[in-house]
Amino acid sequence: MTVGSFTVPVTWLQAVDALLSTTTMLASLAFWRWWANRRREPDEITKMAMGCFVAACAPALLMIPALAIEAGGARISILWSFGYALVNNIGFANIMPVGLALYSRVAPRGLQGVMLGIYYLHLFFGNLFVGWLAGLLEVMPGSNFWALHAVLVACAGAGLLMVKLVFGRLLAPDGEAARGAA
């Protein structure tokens, strides 16, 4: 938690995460707007799957310092935490708001608010799971702990691609469904 001779207060890490989250969401919006002007934009589920694959790189990144610690108790830089937060937030920026857009678009009229509330339940259940999963850090080597996280997030991306294969036509915007049928 030391950068040079300055000890970074732990509370600053949450502030950095919030700043990165806001910045990456704005950057993601700008990127997809730029992309849409040059190429065909992928559907929401594909964007969410790509976000999962990017987010899976964040815990995979933490395997590097974890292996260094396991190999000889090396001291690691706080920059690993910042790198993790940046990569994780880039992935998250392509999951959360895109999922909200998908739910609001496909929800039946009159139930959009309820469906958005249901969408937010994934955060509740996800955080319950993450809390349980965090307990494994005490019984697993750090590299295995972060590898498990990376695999779980990558599996979520693969699961989203399977959802796209099964339900892609049903979830496609009306214009895309008509083009696909033609």
Side-chain angles (χ1 to χ4, degrees):
M1 297 294 293
T2 303
V3 176
S5 62
F6 178 72
T7 301
V8 178
V10 175
T11 55
W12 285 19
L13 293 178
Q14 288 216 314
V16 168
D17 189 50
L19 179 64
L20 282 174
S21 182
T22 302
T23 304
T24 55
M25 282 205 194
L26 293 173
S28 178
L29 288 170
F31 171 79
W32 287 117
R33 182 165 289 160
W34 172 83
W35 184 272
N37 288 332
R38 286 156 182 74
R39 295 179 174 85
R40 185 167 183 255
E41 194 172 342
D43 60 59
E44 292 105 333
I45 294 180
T46 302
K47 285 183 189 178
M48 291 171 67
M50 290 186 327
C52 286
F53 294 132
V54 169
C57 293
L61 182 67
L62 287 183
M63 289 173 56
I64 298 168
L67 287 167
I69 291 169
E70 291 165 16
R75 294 184 52 86
I76 60 164
S77 170
I78 193 171
L79 295 177
W80 287 104
S81 295
F82 295 144
Y84 168 86
L86 177 64
V87 173
N88 189 58
N89 279 308
I90 290 170
F92 184 78
N94 287 287
I95 300 168
M96 181 67 179
V98 176
L100 279 170
L102 175 65
Y103 265 61
S104 66
R105 183 178 57 75
V106 300
R109 293 208 189 279
L111 291 178
Q112 289 171 327
V114 171
M115 294 306 292
L116 291 180
I118 289 171
Y119 179 74
Y120 275 104
L121 279 175
H122 87 279
L123 293 173
F124 169 75
F125 289 114
N127 282 313
L128 283 177
F129 180 67
V130 166
W132 172 81
L133 201 58
L136 296 177
L137 185 56
E138 295 177 3
V139 296
M140 292 177 80
S143 58
N144 292 348
F145 178 80
W146 294 115
L148 174 63
H149 280 70
V151 167
L152 287 172
V153 178
C155 284
L160 283 167
L161 291 178
M162 289 192 314
V163 166
K164 180 182 175 174
L165 287 174
V166 176
F167 298 107
R169 280 208 152 109
L170 180 65
L171 297 174
D174 294 333
E176 287 182 30
R179 280 190 299 256

